[in-house]
Amino acid sequence: MSTSSVSKGCFVFKPSAKKKKTLSLEDHFIHGCEGTENSEMRFKLCQDLWDTIKTDTEVLQDELNRNILDSLLDFTRKCSSTRQHSDWASQMRASEIPTAALVLGVNVPDHDMTFQGLSELLQQSVTPHVASVQAKECGALKHLMKRVLERLMGAVVTVDDEEEEEEVEQTSAQLHNSVHCSLSTLCDWYNTKSKKSYTGTPGKKRSSPVKDDPQQPPLVIIFKDLEAFNPRVLQDFILICSRYIERLPLMFIFGIATSPSTIQHMLPHSVSSLLCIELFQSLSCTQHLATVIDKFILTTHFPFKLNGKVMQVMISIFLYHDFSVRNFIKGVQLALLEHFHSQPLSVLCCKNKEALLNVMQLGHQDLERIRQLPSFKRYIEKQEPQEQVNLSTDDAHIKEVCQRLIKDLHKYHKNYYPILRCLHTLTSSLPRYPLGKQIRELHLICLEKNVWENEEYQSAMRLLKMLAKDELITLLQKCVEILQLAKSKNMTSALVQLEDVLAKFKQLDVAAEPPPSVEDCITSPVKNLQKKTDLFQLQKALLEMNESRRSKKLSPFEILRNEAIEFIDGLVKSHLSPPESQTLNEVCYYTSSATVRRHLNATPRTSIQTALNSPYYYLQNDRLKTEDGTVSNAAPDICIVYKLHLECGRLINLFDWLEAYATVVSAAEGNNPDFDNFGKVDDVKHARFIRAVSELEFLGFIKSTRQKTDHVARITWGGC
């Protein structure tokens, strides 16, 4: 914009008020997903399921942590009241710092949520004075002291050797409110706080000093990651705190990830003797995961499902990488988002009534997608010729069939999970757990193939036919309790039949046919075998014994036991077929295990090399797109330098490297190669080259070498 004026001056032109519109998550989902005709509906379904998982997860984790948190609250109340007693034992205990050793396990990513809930509960019901510290912010004693005082007092705390630096940065108001970093300052602040809270109550008269006040709230300090703290810093802090224990009601909570013996390894006896330690054990991460899987995976409340390979990847990452239930749930949410983003027919992945309504709203393109599903193709092949024609051409007819198939898919899930739990109840009591100790192991087997064709399943059925009466009745009674919670006609019918079997067991007259004594069953064959000294005769006798057992008439209990196990076997074969055998399973089951593994189990080296070799993969800039695998001369400097370094040997001459870089950059700037200054190194190119080389060195691709001063050495070779 140009201006004209008689006098010289400065003119301000305000920028346009129009701002570049930023795309929301919904816009990215709708415009980037496959099959945009129903993308808005899919996004809404995905968001509803996402919010439900998030809310229910938080509620579940609160319930799982409730017992351990309640125990810690009782401990803090008990320790606070102990200081008020006058007996000798209480006085001796009050001279020590009450310490709760909270063993949380190695699932470190989940600890923040636990400590956050603990801090909130303590502030609500025990004391408003709670401070949480981490090792990374407490490298020295002064830093630990400063963090504790700041979070307890809510004020700016200054350290002696930092006062001069902070005076420059802090405002006058902050300097006025800052306090000195020492526990004596904390004592004065706490006494002032206690007097205010006590004298603020009308009609009360103080009869004892502050330290004997029964309303005196404790000062709780939480060490989130005890193992990561510097032992010397921790020892000095405890020694200092022990000198003020009569003036301050201090209390420690140690967050331990490994073992309680960590305290003994970090603190000598002279320091640990100043602590009154009580151990608290939280729920193990595997138990936590089992509960999450039971509530979110093995249920009909969530229509979204994971197939066997995806489940195996997520459980493997949990068991062999982080033990984080929180990350496992994030993986479920990631799979949910990927499924609704990449599968246009995921609009049918919802509850039964809503799915039936959505079927009638499908367009011709969606119906064509249904016809291309592998499970629907198999369904068409099993129909009569005329029905095959109708399903392939008539859109109205295929909608009616899809409604029936969606109903069948929901019925399949209603029958699958109760029978799965019954089978796990029976087999988990067997020795060596032939089908797995956890229900997730049995679920994975059922997702992959027909479980009854598994050799371990057949072995489990044989073992079940050898159970004693009381044990079998107990297990069948548990199965009855499981089926009572199921809501389907098939499960109701199975419940009635199983209750009839249990009634027959109770009606058995054991005295009508007394079983042979254990001594007769054992000693008599042994006596006969003792006479057989020849190996051939011994083998013959053993075969005869085996034949006699087979030909022996079964007792009424054995007949009924076989009948009960065969009934369970029939339920398994009827309702535990793999989900791939169900038509339209693709609308509910997410199957891309490679995508989940790539997102959850990231490989930094592969990602870095991909970014440097092909910057278009991440930047999505058309100027960077190349077809022959080379890097465009318009790529970032580090990509050009990286590509040039791949063409060198073990040692790289920096001057040659710089000249090659300058040539590539000159071509990118559009300079004529015939000009004399083409490829010349100027100050700007030199600075850009130095920065790119420094970045490569930081990433670990090159290092300096003493062999030649003007050379660098390559560290990495080959690709991923």
Side-chain angles (χ1 to χ4, degrees), residues 34-149:
E34 185 176 345
T36 57
E37 57 274 1
N38 56 11
S39 55
E40 293 184 7
M41 188 184 301
R42 285 154 54 193
F43 177 78
K44 184 179 181 303
L45 290 173
C46 178
Q47 192 173 37
D48 291 343
L49 283 174
W50 182 291
D51 295 339
T52 303
I53 291 175
K54 182 180 179 182
T55 304
D56 291 358
T57 300
E58 293 174 354
V59 173
L60 177 62
Q61 290 182 334
D62 288 341
E63 292 176 357
L64 294 174
N65 293 329
R66 180 63 56 186
N67 292 334
I68 188 69
L69 295 182
D70 289 345
S71 301
L72 284 169
L73 289 179
D74 294 339
F75 172 75
T76 54
R77 294 192 187 99
K78 181 180 66 175
C79 293
S80 181
S81 63
T82 301
R83 295 173 57 86
Q84 319 309 326
H85 297 149
S86 58
D87 58 312
W88 181 83
S90 298
Q91 289 179 358
M92 289 297 295
R93 189 179 180 88
S95 65
E96 302 171 343
I97 303 176
T99 304
L102 178 58
V103 182
L104 293 172
V106 294
N107 49 333
V108 178
D110 297 342
H111 291 177
D112 287 338
M113 188 177 297
T114 303
F115 284 120
Q116 182 180 354
L118 175 60
S119 299
E120 293 174 355
L121 285 176
L122 287 172
Q123 291 172 345
Q124 291 172 4
S125 57
V126 179
T127 174
H129 313 307
V130 180
S132 299
V133 290
Q134 288 181 288
K136 64 182 180 181
E137 56 188 8
C138 304
L141 178 61
K142 60 183 179 181
H143 299 143
L144 174 58
M145 194 77 72
K146 181 179 179 180
R147 298 292 182 272
V148 169
L149 266 63

Side-chain angles (χ1 to χ4, degrees), residues 684-711:
V684 175
K685 293 176 183 176
H686 194 191
R688 289 167 57 186
F689 173 76
I690 292 175
R691 184 179 63 179
V693 171
S694 300
E695 290 173 349
L696 275 187
E697 184 177 9
F698 176 76
L699 292 174
F701 288 99
I702 59 173
K703 67 176 181 178
S704 57
T705 176
R706 295 182 180 178
Q707 295 182 8
K708 293 183 179 180
T709 56
D710 58 343
H711 285 63

Side-chain angles (χ1 to χ4, degrees), residues 261-328:
S261 61
T262 302
I263 299 177
Q264 299 175 356
H265 297 154
M266 296 184 66
L267 305 177
H269 178 70
S270 59
V271 178
S272 62
S273 61
L274 301 175
L275 305 177
C276 178
I277 302 174
E278 188 166 335
L279 184 64
F280 296 88
Q281 181 74 48
S282 69
L283 194 68
S284 70
C285 55
T286 52
Q287 292 174 314
H288 197 163
L289 177 68
T291 307
V292 168
I293 290 178
D294 188 64
K295 295 290 184 182
F296 295 103
I297 305 296
L298 307 180
T299 177
T300 57
H301 299 303
F302 291 95
F304 172 70
K305 308 295 178 185
L306 303 174
N307 81 333
K309 291 183 179 179
V310 177
M311 275 283 294
Q312 186 64 58
V313 167
M314 294 177 62
I315 292 175
S316 298
I317 292 174
F318 172 85
L319 293 176
Y320 301 116
H321 286 81
D322 54 10
F323 289 105
S324 173
V325 178
R326 190 176 178 183
N327 289 346
F328 180 87

Side-chain angles (χ1 to χ4, degrees), residues 353-368:
K353 293 182 179 179
E354 191 175 358
L356 297 179
L357 292 175
N358 291 343
V359 168
M360 303 307 296
Q361 298 177 10
L362 294 178
H364 177 73
Q365 191 172 359
D366 289 328
L367 295 176
E368 287 297 324

Side-chain angles (χ1 to χ4, degrees), residues 379-380 383-392 397 401 404:
Y379 174 79
I380 293 178
Q383 306 305 312
E384 298 293 332
Q386 184 59 40
E387 180 66 12
Q388 292 181 5
V389 174
N390 294 336
L391 290 174
S392 302
H397 180 66
V401 173
R404 187 175 70 251

Side-chain angles (χ1 to χ4, degrees), residues 480-662:
V480 167
E481 295 172 0
I482 293 172
L483 294 178
Q484 286 174 345
L485 301 175
K487 299 178 181 179
S488 70
K489 294 181 180 179
N490 291 332
M491 294 300 100
T492 303
S493 175
L495 174 62
V496 173
Q497 297 180 57
L498 192 56
E499 287 177 340
D500 291 342
V501 172
L502 277 174
K504 292 178 181 178
F505 272 116
K506 295 177 181 178
Q507 294 173 359
L508 279 179
D509 187 7
V510 182
E513 185 179 349
S517 65
V518 178
E519 186 178 356
D520 294 339
C521 295
I522 297 176
T523 58
S524 56
V526 172
K527 290 179 180 177
N528 294 330
L529 290 176
Q530 286 176 347
K531 301 176 182 178
K532 310 290 184 181
T533 56
D534 184 47
L535 180 60
F536 175 76
Q537 295 294 332
L538 181 61
Q539 291 177 344
K540 183 179 178 181
L542 289 172
L543 290 173
E544 291 175 354
M545 288 172 55
N546 191 25
E547 291 295 330
S548 63
R549 287 178 180 176
R550 291 182 180 179
S551 60
K552 180 183 176 183
K553 184 179 179 181
L554 297 177
S555 65
F557 164 70
E558 292 172 335
I559 295 174
L560 191 55
R561 179 177 60 187
N562 292 345
E563 180 183 339
I565 302 304
E566 289 171 1
F567 172 70
I568 296 294
D569 182 54
L571 290 177
V572 169
K573 292 179 179 178
S574 300
H575 303 296
L576 285 191
S577 56
E580 281 79 3
S581 64
Q582 304 300 311
T583 310
L584 298 185
N585 68 85
E586 293 89 348
V587 303
C588 295
Y589 282 84
Y590 181 69
T591 59
S592 181
S593 59
T595 303
V596 173
R597 186 185 296 276
R598 186 173 67 251
H599 285 297
L600 297 183
N601 193 15
T603 52
R605 181 187 170 192
T606 304
S607 301
I608 292 172
Q609 289 192 325
T610 302
L612 295 177
N613 269 315
S614 178
Y616 175 79
Y617 183 81
Y618 290 106
L619 299 179
Q620 295 296 311
N621 188 338
D622 291 336
R623 293 181 60 198
L624 303 177
K625 186 183 292 186
T626 56
E627 297 179 355
D628 54 354
T630 59
V631 174
S632 169
N633 51 16
D637 292 337
I638 187 174
C639 298
I640 298 173
V641 170
Y642 172 78
K643 199 67 176 179
L644 292 172
H645 113 285
L646 293 179
E647 301 173 1
C648 302
R650 188 177 66 85
L651 295 178
I652 306 174
N653 188 307
L654 286 172
F655 183 74
D656 296 341
W657 198 4
L658 173 60
E659 285 193 329
Y661 166 77

